[in-house]
Amino acid sequence: MNLISKIDNLKKQNGHFLTVKQVRSLTPNMLRVTLHCPSVAGFDAGINGAHCKLLLPQAGTSADTFKQIITIQPNALSMEIRPIRRTYTVRYFRSETKEMDIDFVNHGDDGPASSWARQAEPGSFLGLLGPASPKIKEFYADWYLVAADMSALPVAGATIESMPKNAKGLAIFEITTEADKQSFNAPTGLEIHWMIHSDPHVSSIAQLSFLREMDWPKGTVQTCIAGESGLIKQLRHYLITEKNLRKQDTYISGYWKIGLVEDEHRVWKNTQNA
Ligand SMILES: Cc1cc2nc3c(=O)[nH]c(=O)nc-3n(C[C@H](O)[C@H](O)[C@H](O)COP(=O)(O)OP(=O)(O)OC[C@H]3O[C@@H](n4cnc5c(N)ncnc54)[C@H](O)[C@@H]3O)c2cc1C
C-alpha cells in the first residue's frame, strides 16, 4: 500500500496496537472485548475507569499497515486509511497478562465502534490512544451518587469497585432489559437501583425523577454520572444549580447523544460548554 509515504517525516502519535483475545456477550446488550496490549509498559496499574480513544481500522487494512497508521497524526493520513476514533472506558486492566477489557454497548451496526465489536473475533485488531486517568482519583465524600445508562456502566462499575469499603450512597442504573443487570463488587453501604428503559433512542427522565423524589443526604456528595447527553444536561442543572453540589465534587458527563454520531456529539458539547 502506497498510502503512507515518507513515514519518518510525518508527525507522530503514540497509538498502541491491540489484538482481540476474546469477545463475549456480557449481557444481551453489552459485549465484553478482551484485548492483548503488548506495548503495555506505559500503562499504570490503576487505569480501571479511565477513558481512551479507540482507533478503528478501515475495512481491508492489514495489521502491518495499521501498525504504521496508528503512529501517525490523523491529519497526515488520507481519508481512505484514517482510523475512525471513538471514546471508550477501560473496564479492567490486568498488567500481569497485559489484558484489557472494554465493554461495548451493542447498539447495532449503525455506529462503527458498535459494529466493530459485533464483528470482532480473536485476532481482530484496533489502536488505542491513552488511557487518561480514572474519573474519581480521591474518595472523600460522606455520600456517593452514581448514575449511568448502559454506555456508562463501565465507568460506574470501575468507580464503585474503587470506592472505600465503608462508602455509602446510591447508584441508579438505567438499562435496556432486565437481563442487562450486572453484578459489581460494591460497598455494602451503596444502594443499587435498576431501571428498565427499553428504547435508548427515546429520551428518558426517569433518573432525574428518582433524584427529585428522594430524601437528600447531609454532608459532602461526590458523583460519578454519565450517559445520554440530553438527560445529563438536566441532571447537571439539577445537581449544580438546585442541589448546590460543588463542581469539584462532581463527575457528570455526556457520553453520547440520541441522533448524533460521536464527532457531531463532540461539536454539540462544545456549544453547550459541557
Ligand atoms: C469518556 C467516555 C467514555 C465512554 N465509555 C464507553 C464505554 O466504555 N462503553 C460504551 O459502550 N460506550 C462508551 N462511551 C460512549 C461511546 O463513545 C458512544 O456511544 C459512541 O457514540 C459509540 O460509537 P459508535 O461508533 O458505536 O456510534 P456513533 O457512530 O457515534 O453513533 C451512531 C448512532 O448510534 C447512536 N448511539 C451511540 N451510542 C449509543 C448508545 N450507547 N446506545 C444507543 N445508541 C447509541 C448515535 O446516537 C448515532 O445515532 C463513552 C463516551 C465517553 C465520552
Side-chain angles (χ1 to χ4, degrees):
M1 190 180 272
N2 201 21
L3 293 162
I4 307 170
S5 57
K6 298 190 187 113
I7 194 166
D8 292 339
N9 298 327
L10 294 174
K11 218 172 154 206
K12 299 285 177 67
Q13 67 177 7
N14 294 321
H16 297 276
F17 180 82
L18 276 53
T19 49
V20 173
K21 284 189 85 168
Q22 191 191 50
V23 183
R24 69 182 174 102
S25 277
L26 192 61
T27 67
N29 292 290
M30 188 74 97
L31 292 164
R32 174 159 294 172
V33 180
T34 301
L35 297 149
H36 181 234
C37 333
S39 60
V40 81
F43 293 5
D44 270 344
I47 55 167
N48 294 350
H51 78 267
C52 55
K53 298 283 175 192
L54 300 184
L55 307 173
L56 305 166
Q58 301 267 14
T61 309
S62 73
D64 284 342
T65 303
F66 192 65
K67 277 180 195 165
Q68 293 181 62
I69 286 174
I70 59 174
T71 64
I72 302 168
Q73 287 286 352
N75 291 346
L77 293 166
S78 77
M79 291 305 285
E80 290 163 271
I81 56 168
R82 188 180 295 181
I84 293 165
R85 286 183 187 218
R86 292 292 184 261
T87 312
Y88 278 79
T89 303
V90 178
R91 180 62 182 93
Y92 291 111
F93 176 63
R94 295 175 289 280
S95 51
E96 62 290 357
T97 51
K98 301 182 179 178
E99 284 175 2
M100 179 183 289
D101 294 336
I102 298 197
D103 293 350
F104 291 75
V105 175
N106 181 352
H107 63 88
D109 286 322
D110 58 342
S114 171
S115 175
W116 178 89
R118 283 157 61 87
Q119 287 162 32
E121 55 188 12
S124 302
F125 54 87
L126 48 58
L128 180 145
L129 295 176
S133 37
K135 302 303 169 196
I136 300 186
K137 295 173 202 73
E138 270 188 278
F139 294 92
Y140 51 79
D142 299 304
W143 196 83
Y144 294 90
L145 175 61
V146 179
D149 68 3
M150 298 274 308
S151 72
L153 281 181
V155 72
T159 302
I160 284 174
E161 291 176 356
S162 304
M163 283 178 179
K165 289 294 160 224
N166 62 353
K168 291 189 183 58
L170 170 73
I172 316 170
F173 296 129
E174 199 162 355
I175 52 175
T176 314
T177 68
E178 186 75 24
D180 284 305
K181 285 182 180 172
Q182 297 183 21
S183 48
F184 302 114
N185 184 12
T188 48
L190 191 81
E191 211 178 284
I192 299 186
H193 287 263
W194 296 93
M195 297 172 172
I196 310 300
H197 178 56
S198 61
D199 185 355
H201 295 104
V202 173
S203 55
S204 158
I205 56 157
Q207 295 175 52
L208 180 61
S209 305
F210 188 101
L211 294 183
R212 281 191 182 282
E213 281 162 24
M214 65 178 246
D215 290 332
W216 199 251
K218 291 196 171 59
T220 308
V221 177
Q222 267 183 290
T223 74
C224 176
I225 298 176
E228 199 280 322
S229 266
L231 172 66
I232 291 297
K233 188 176 172 185
Q234 298 182 64
L235 289 176
R236 184 183 293 109
H237 179 82
Y238 176 65
L239 293 169
I240 304 286
T241 311
E242 294 187 40
K243 287 297 174 191
N244 298 315
L245 295 196
R246 301 184 311 171
K247 281 196 175 155
Q248 64 264 38
D249 299 333
T250 59
Y251 175 70
I252 308 181
S253 184
Y255 272 19
W256 67 286
K257 187 155 175 20
I258 294 171
L260 301 184
V261 302
E262 182 168 321
D263 310 85
E264 296 164 340
H265 178 220
R266 199 174 315 114
V267 172
W268 180 85
K269 275 174 99 169
N270 289 339
T271 65
Q272 307 288 307
N273 208 9

